[in-house]
Structures are given as structure tokens and as C-alpha cells.
Amino acid sequence: TDLGSYATLELDLTDGILTLTVNRPQALNALSQQVISDLWKAFTAIEDSCTHDAGWPVRGVILTGAGGKAFVAGADIREMASMEPDDAAEYARSAQGVTLLIEKVPVPVIAAVDGFALGGGCELALACDFIYASEAAQFGQPEVNLGLVPGFGGSVRLPQRVGLGPARELIYTGRRIDAAEALRLGLVNRVLPTRQELLAAARATLGEIAPKAPLAVGLAKQSITGAYGLHTGQGLEIEAGLFREAFTTEDMREGTTAFLEKRKASFAGK
Ligand code: HXC
């Protein structure tokens, strides 16, 4: 499987689980335009590989940061400092495009946050399906300290994840919170003591998902993401359409037949 190679990303594909590591530790993995472009290309390659013909080589993604100090410390402030308003809008849109693509790839993406997830880093983590953190994790939206506002989806996805009150407080104060507080707010699903245990826990969860019908997992992701925030009736319409789509797959026939024949299902991903 060739998912490409990238100046700012490390890729490791083991047992169907792709660990994608943002690798700019000298800048605490800040999201330069190069990183945004590399993430776009990598997630496009992942999306393209999610077919029966390509063999579904990736069944889950762990997104993390290199260096042990940060997940991602935000947008690259050095690059942003000299941007004109229209450049900034284009930058925000391209990074928002990455967050939408992460939501669109039909496999689960877990953000494994060890160290700082600030500004664009917190927003990148929020675009993932869910977040696991180490005890060293720190989250925050410090944009107001720079005269900025969130631009990679934070003012939309943070309220969705933790509710309006806590999101407003975090965004207006620019305050940093630790892993325990992030867990209490529901920003993260789990907190693990060390980086090693963090990555092991993320791998274990994706390992649990990997043998399931991949199209079904993808449809479930599409349903949850597509229905979120809509009126109940509209959300249920989306769900019914995707439920129908599941019935067009061989995997659905295999899964239900295997149950009735009292054997273990073996899914081909088609
Ligand atoms: C560019 C960054 C950076 C960033 C850190 N660095 N964060 N470079 N962009 N976001 C660089 C530092 O300049 C420094 O480089 C090196 O990484 C190590 O950082 P230090 O500050 O020396 O480390 P430390 O003292 O431990 O402090 C860690 C920190 C601090 C608290 C995380 O670096 C920090 O506050 N960073 C900025 C966090 C932030 O404001 N993020 C939000 C950005 S706005 P040198 O060369 O000196 O060694 C944003 C908007 C998103 O994300 C939406 C846009 C559309």
C-alpha cells in the first residue's frame, strides 16, 4: 500500500491501523501551510484506499504529534504574522477543508493527544472521531491572546463537543485546561497515564473495530456526522437513507447470514 510520503508527516501502517504523526517538533508541530497540504494529500490517499478493489488497507487512523511535547501547538504563528486578510481567509478555508476531509474518510480517526493541543491543534483534534489524551495533554483555544479567533472550526465543533457555555468560556479566556478537565467536559473520551499507554489504547480500540464490516463502520460515521445538528426528522431521513445503503452491500448479506448459520462473519468490504 502506497499512501505517499510527506515532508511533515510520518506514516506507519501496521495491522490495518495507520499512525499519522505530524512531525515538526522544532515548532511544536504547528500547522504550517506545508502541514495542511500534506494532511490534505495523506487523507485523500487514505480515502482513495477505502475500497474493496484497493483492499481496504487502512481500517483506522491514529493522528498524533512528534517530539513528546505537543500534539499540535496551533496554526503557525510565524507564517500567519505576515498574512493579509485574504491570505488568512484562504488559509482558514484550506485547513477547514482538511477537517471536513477527516470527517469524510470512511474509517475512524482517533486523535491521540500528548502535550499541547492549542488553537488549530485543538481544532484538528476536534475534527477526529474522538480524542484520547495522555495525562500530559493540555487543551485550549488561545487565539484571543493573539488578536485572533478560531479559524479551523473551533467555534463550531467545540460547542458541539462540550456545549455552548464551556466552549464560550474556553474561547473568550484563551485558558488552557488539563486532561482531567478535558475528560470532565467530554472533550476527550479517555485519559491514559503515558504516551505509550495512550497509543496502545487507541490501537486497541481501532483493533476492535478493524474486523467489523468496513462499509458499515463508514456508513455509521457518515450518518452520525451528517445528522449531527439537524432537526431530528431530517437526521432520521439521513439515517434511513444510509440504512438502505447498507442493504446494497455483500457484507450485510454475509453478516446476517453468518449470524443465522451460527458462524463468525468474514467481511470483504464490498
Ligand atoms: C509557530 C510555534 C508555535 C506556533 C510554538 N512554536 N508554537 N511556532 N507557531 N503555534 C515554536 C516556538 O516559537 C519555539 O520556537 C518552539 O516552537 C518551542 O516553543 P516554546 O514557546 O519555546 O515552548 P514553551 O515555552 O514550552 O511553550 C509552549 C507553548 C508556547 C505554551 C505551547 O509555544 C505557545 O504558547 N505556543 C503558541 C500556542 C498558540 O497560541 N497557538 C494558537 C495559534 S493560533 P523557537 O524557534 O523559539 O525554538 C491558531 C489559530 C487557528 O491556531 C486558526 C487559523 C485559521
Coordinates of all heavy atoms in Angstrom, one line a residue, residues 24-32 69-70 72-80 83 88-89 91-93 95-96 116-123 140-146 148-154 176, ligand 1:
R24 N 6.9 18.1 13.1 CA 7.7 19.4 13.1 C 8.0 19.8 14.5 O 7.6 20.8 15.0 CB 6.8 20.5 12.5 CG 6.7 20.6 11.0 CD 6.0 22.0 10.7 NE 6.9 23.1 10.7 CZ 6.5 24.4 11.0 NH1 5.2 24.7 11.2 NH2 7.4 25.3 10.9
P25 N 8.6 18.9 15.2 CA 8.8 19.1 16.7 C 9.5 20.4 17.0 O 9.2 21.0 18.1 CB 9.6 17.9 17.2 CG 10.2 17.3 15.9 CD 9.3 17.6 14.8
Q26 N 10.3 20.9 16.1 CA 11.0 22.2 16.4 C 10.1 23.3 16.6 O 10.4 24.4 17.2 CB 12.2 22.4 15.4 CG 11.7 22.9 14.0 CD 11.1 21.7 13.2 OE1 11.0 20.6 13.6 NE2 10.7 22.1 11.9
A27 N 8.9 23.2 16.0 CA 7.8 24.3 16.1 C 6.6 23.7 16.8 O 5.5 24.2 16.6 CB 7.5 24.8 14.7
L28 N 6.8 22.7 17.6 CA 5.7 22.1 18.4 C 4.6 21.6 17.4 O 3.4 21.7 17.7 CB 5.2 22.9 19.5 CG 6.3 23.4 20.6 CD1 5.6 24.1 21.7 CD2 7.0 22.2 21.1
N29 N 5.0 21.2 16.2 CA 4.1 20.6 15.2 C 3.1 21.6 14.7 O 2.0 21.2 14.3 CB 3.5 19.3 15.8 CG 4.5 18.3 16.3 OD1 5.5 18.1 15.6 ND2 4.2 17.7 17.4
A30 N 3.4 22.9 14.8 CA 2.5 23.9 14.3 C 2.1 23.7 12.9 O 2.9 23.2 12.1 CB 3.1 25.3 14.5
L31 N 0.9 24.0 12.6 CA 0.3 23.8 11.2 C 0.7 24.8 10.2 O -0.1 25.7 9.9 CB -1.3 23.7 11.4 CG -1.8 22.6 12.3 CD1 -3.3 22.8 12.5 CD2 -1.5 21.2 11.8
S32 N 1.9 24.6 9.7 CA 2.3 25.5 8.5 C 1.4 25.1 7.3 O 0.8 24.1 7.3 CB 3.8 25.2 8.2 OG 3.9 23.8 7.9
K69 N 6.2 16.7 23.2 CA 5.8 17.9 24.0 C 4.5 18.4 23.5 O 3.8 19.1 24.3 CB 6.9 19.0 23.7 CG 7.2 19.8 25.0 CD 8.3 20.9 24.7 CE 7.8 22.2 25.2 NZ 8.7 23.3 25.0
A70 N 4.2 18.1 22.2 CA 2.9 18.7 21.7 C 2.2 17.7 20.7 O 2.9 17.0 20.0 CB 3.2 20.0 20.9
V72 N -0.3 19.3 18.6 CA -0.1 20.4 17.6 C -0.3 21.7 18.4 O -1.4 21.9 19.0 CB -1.1 20.3 16.4 CG1 -1.1 21.6 15.6 CG2 -0.7 19.1 15.5
A73 N 0.7 22.6 18.4 CA 0.6 23.9 19.1 C -0.2 25.0 18.4 O -0.1 26.2 18.7 CB 1.9 24.4 19.6
G74 N -0.9 24.6 17.3 CA -1.8 25.6 16.6 C -1.3 25.9 15.2 O -0.4 25.2 14.7
A75 N -2.0 26.9 14.7 CA -1.5 27.4 13.4 C -0.1 27.9 13.5 O 0.3 28.3 14.7 CB -2.5 28.5 12.9
D76 N 0.6 28.0 12.4 CA 2.0 28.5 12.5 C 2.0 30.0 12.6 O 1.6 30.7 11.7 CB 2.8 28.1 11.3 CG 4.3 28.4 11.5 OD1 4.6 29.6 11.6 OD2 5.1 27.4 11.5
I77 N 2.3 30.5 13.8 CA 2.1 32.0 14.1 C 3.1 32.8 13.3 O 2.8 33.9 12.8 CB 2.3 32.2 15.6 CG1 1.2 31.5 16.4 CG2 2.3 33.7 15.9 CD1 1.4 31.5 17.9
R78 N 4.3 32.2 13.0 CA 5.3 32.9 12.2 C 4.8 33.1 10.8 O 4.9 34.2 10.2 CB 6.6 32.1 12.1 CG 7.8 32.8 11.7 CD 9.1 31.9 11.9 NE 9.3 31.6 13.3 CZ 9.9 32.4 14.2 NH1 10.3 33.6 13.8 NH2 10.1 32.0 15.4
E79 N 4.2 32.1 10.2 CA 3.6 32.3 8.9 C 2.4 33.3 8.9 O 2.2 34.1 8.0 CB 3.1 30.9 8.3 CG 4.2 30.1 7.7 CD 3.6 28.8 7.0 OE1 2.3 28.7 6.9 OE2 4.4 28.0 6.7
M80 N 1.5 33.1 9.9 CA 0.3 33.9 10.0 C 0.6 35.4 10.1 O -0.1 36.3 9.6 CB -0.6 33.5 11.1 CG -1.4 32.3 10.8 SD -2.7 32.1 12.0 CE -1.8 32.0 13.5
M83 N 0.5 37.5 7.0 CA -0.6 37.3 6.1 C -1.5 38.6 6.0 O -1.8 39.2 7.0 CB -1.5 36.1 6.5 CG -0.9 34.8 6.2 SD -2.1 33.5 6.7 CE -1.0 32.1 6.6
A88 N -5.3 35.0 4.8 CA -5.8 34.4 6.0 C -7.1 33.6 5.8 O -7.2 32.5 6.3 CB -6.0 35.4 7.2
A89 N -8.0 34.2 5.0 CA -9.2 33.5 4.7 C -9.0 32.2 3.9 O -9.5 31.2 4.2 CB -10.1 34.4 3.9
Y91 N -6.2 30.5 3.9 CA -5.5 29.6 4.8 C -6.5 28.9 5.7 O -6.5 27.6 5.8 CB -4.5 30.4 5.7 CG -3.8 29.6 6.8 CD1 -3.1 28.5 6.5 CD2 -3.9 30.1 8.1 CE1 -2.4 27.8 7.5 CE2 -3.2 29.4 9.1 CZ -2.5 28.3 8.8 OH -1.9 27.6 9.8
A92 N -7.5 29.6 6.3 CA -8.5 29.0 7.1 C -9.4 28.0 6.3 O -9.6 26.9 6.7 CB -9.4 30.1 7.7
R93 N -9.7 28.4 5.1 CA -10.5 27.5 4.3 C -9.8 26.3 3.9 O -10.4 25.2 3.9 CB -11.0 28.2 3.0 CG -12.1 29.3 3.3 CD -13.0 29.5 2.1 NE -14.0 30.5 2.5 CZ -13.7 31.8 2.4 NH1 -12.6 32.3 1.9 NH2 -14.6 32.7 2.9
A95 N -7.4 24.8 5.7 CA -7.3 24.0 6.9 C -8.7 23.4 7.2 O -8.8 22.3 7.7 CB -6.7 24.8 8.0
Q96 N -9.8 24.2 7.1 CA -11.1 23.7 7.3 C -11.4 22.6 6.4 O -12.1 21.6 6.8 CB -12.1 24.8 7.1 CG -12.1 25.9 8.2 CD -13.0 27.1 7.9 OE1 -13.6 27.2 6.8 NE2 -13.2 27.9 8.9
F116 N 0.6 19.6 24.2 CA -0.2 20.8 23.8 C -1.1 20.5 22.6 O -0.6 20.1 21.5 CB 0.6 22.0 23.5 CG 1.4 22.5 24.6 CD1 2.8 22.3 24.7 CD2 0.8 23.1 25.7 CE1 3.5 22.8 25.8 CE2 1.5 23.6 26.8 CZ 2.9 23.4 26.8
A117 N -2.4 20.7 22.7 CA -3.3 20.8 21.6 C -4.0 22.1 21.7 O -5.0 22.3 22.4 CB -4.4 19.7 21.6
L118 N -3.4 23.1 21.0 CA -3.8 24.5 21.2 C -4.3 25.1 19.9 O -3.7 24.8 18.8 CB -2.7 25.4 21.8 CG -2.1 24.9 23.1 CD1 -0.9 25.8 23.5 CD2 -3.1 24.9 24.2
G119 N -5.3 26.0 19.9 CA -5.7 26.7 18.7 C -6.1 25.7 17.7 O -6.9 24.7 17.9
G120 N -5.4 25.8 16.5 CA -5.7 24.9 15.4 C -5.4 23.5 15.7 O -5.9 22.5 15.1
G121 N -4.6 23.2 16.8 CA -4.3 21.8 17.2 C -5.5 21.2 17.9 O -5.8 20.1 17.7
C122 N -6.1 22.0 18.7 CA -7.3 21.6 19.4 C -8.4 21.4 18.3 O -9.2 20.4 18.4 CB -7.8 22.6 20.4 SG -9.1 22.1 21.5
E123 N -8.5 22.3 17.4 CA -9.5 22.2 16.3 C -9.3 21.0 15.4 O -10.2 20.3 15.0 CB -9.5 23.5 15.5 CG -9.9 24.7 16.3 CD -9.6 26.0 15.6 OE1 -8.5 26.4 15.4 OE2 -10.6 26.6 15.3
G140 N -6.6 24.0 24.6 CA -7.1 25.4 24.7 C -7.2 26.1 23.4 O -6.8 25.5 22.3
Q141 N -8.0 27.2 23.4 CA -8.1 28.0 22.2 C -7.6 29.4 22.5 O -8.3 30.3 22.8 CB -9.6 28.1 21.8 CG -10.3 26.7 21.4 CD -9.9 26.2 20.1 OE1 -10.0 25.0 19.9 NE2 -9.4 27.0 19.2
P142 N -6.3 29.5 22.4 CA -5.6 30.8 22.8 C -5.7 31.9 21.8 O -4.9 32.9 22.0 CB -4.2 30.3 23.1 CG -3.9 29.2 22.2 CD -5.3 28.5 21.9
E143 N -6.5 31.8 20.8 CA -6.5 32.8 19.7 C -6.6 34.2 20.2 O -6.0 35.2 19.7 CB -7.6 32.5 18.7 CG -7.3 31.4 17.8 CD -7.7 30.0 18.3 OE1 -8.1 29.9 19.5 OE2 -7.6 29.0 17.5
V144 N -7.5 34.5 21.3 CA -7.7 35.8 21.7 C -6.4 36.5 22.3 O -6.3 37.7 22.3 CB -8.8 36.0 22.8 CG1 -10.2 35.7 22.2 CG2 -8.5 35.1 24.0
N145 N -5.4 35.6 22.7 CA -4.1 36.2 23.1 C -3.4 36.8 22.0 O -2.4 37.5 22.2 CB -3.3 35.1 23.7 CG -3.9 34.5 25.0 OD1 -4.5 35.3 25.8 ND2 -3.8 33.2 25.2
L146 N -3.7 36.4 20.7 CA -3.0 36.9 19.5 C -3.9 37.9 18.7 O -3.5 38.2 17.6 CB -2.7 35.7 18.7 CG -1.8 34.6 19.3 CD1 -2.0 33.3 18.5 CD2 -0.4 35.0 19.3
L148 N -6.7 37.0 17.6 CA -7.4 36.2 16.6 C -8.6 35.5 17.1 O -8.9 35.5 18.3 CB -6.4 35.1 16.1 CG -5.2 35.5 15.3 CD1 -4.2 34.3 15.2 CD2 -5.6 36.0 13.9
V149 N -9.3 34.8 16.2 CA -10.4 34.0 16.6 C -10.1 32.6 16.0 O -9.3 32.4 15.1 CB -11.8 34.4 16.1 CG1 -12.2 35.8 16.8 CG2 -11.8 34.6 14.6
P150 N -10.8 31.5 16.6 CA -10.6 30.2 16.0 C -10.9 30.3 14.5 O -11.8 31.0 14.1 CB -11.6 29.3 16.7 CG -11.8 30.0 18.0 CD -11.7 31.5 17.7
G151 N -10.1 29.5 13.7 CA -10.4 29.5 12.2 C -10.4 28.2 11.6 O -10.7 28.1 10.4
F152 N -10.1 27.1 12.4 CA -10.2 25.8 11.8 C -11.3 25.0 12.4 O -11.3 23.8 12.6 CB -8.9 25.0 12.1 CG -7.6 25.6 11.6 CD1 -6.4 25.0 11.9 CD2 -7.6 26.6 10.7 CE1 -5.2 25.5 11.4 CE2 -6.4 27.2 10.2 CZ -5.2 26.6 10.5
G153 N -12.4 25.7 12.6 CA -13.7 25.0 13.0 C -13.9 25.0 14.5 O -14.9 24.5 15.0
G154 N -13.1 25.7 15.3 CA -13.2 25.6 16.8 C -14.5 26.3 17.3 O -15.1 25.8 18.2
R176 N -6.0 27.5 29.2 CA -5.6 26.1 28.9 C -6.2 25.2 30.0 O -6.2 25.5 31.2 CB -4.1 25.9 29.0 CG -3.4 26.7 27.8 CD -2.1 26.0 27.4 NE -1.1 26.0 28.4 CZ 0.0 26.8 28.4 NH1 0.1 27.7 27.5 NH2 0.9 26.7 29.4
Ligands
HXC1 C1 4.9 28.7 15.3 C2 5.5 27.8 17.3 C3 4.1 27.7 17.7 C4 3.1 28.1 16.8 C5 5.4 27.0 19.4 N1 6.2 27.4 18.4 N2 4.1 27.2 19.0 N3 5.9 28.3 16.1 N4 3.6 28.6 15.6 N5 1.8 28.0 17.0 C6 7.7 27.4 18.4 C7 8.2 28.4 19.3 O1 8.3 29.7 18.6 C8 9.6 27.9 19.6 O2 10.5 28.1 18.5 C9 9.3 26.4 19.7 O3 8.1 26.2 19.0 C10 9.1 25.9 21.1 O4 8.1 26.7 21.7 P1 8.4 27.4 23.1 O5 7.4 28.6 23.2 O6 9.8 27.8 23.3 O7 8.0 26.3 24.2 P2 7.3 26.5 25.7 O8 8.0 27.7 26.3 O9 7.4 25.2 26.3 O10 5.8 26.9 25.4 C11 4.9 26.0 24.7 C12 3.7 26.8 24.3 C13 4.0 28.0 23.5 C14 2.9 27.2 25.6 C15 2.8 25.8 23.5 O11 4.9 27.6 22.5 C16 2.9 28.7 22.9 O12 2.1 29.4 23.5 N6 2.7 28.5 21.5 C17 1.7 29.1 20.8 C18 0.3 28.5 21.1 C19 -0.8 29.2 20.3 O13 -1.1 30.4 20.6 N7 -1.5 28.5 19.4 C20 -2.6 29.1 18.7 C21 -2.1 29.7 17.5 S1 -3.5 30.5 16.7 P3 12.0 28.6 18.7 O14 12.4 28.8 17.3 O15 11.9 29.9 19.6 O16 12.6 27.5 19.4 C22 -4.3 29.3 15.9 C23 -5.4 29.8 15.0 C24 -6.0 28.7 14.2 O17 -4.1 28.1 16.0 C25 -7.0 29.2 13.1 C26 -6.2 29.8 12.0 C27 -7.1 30.0 10.7

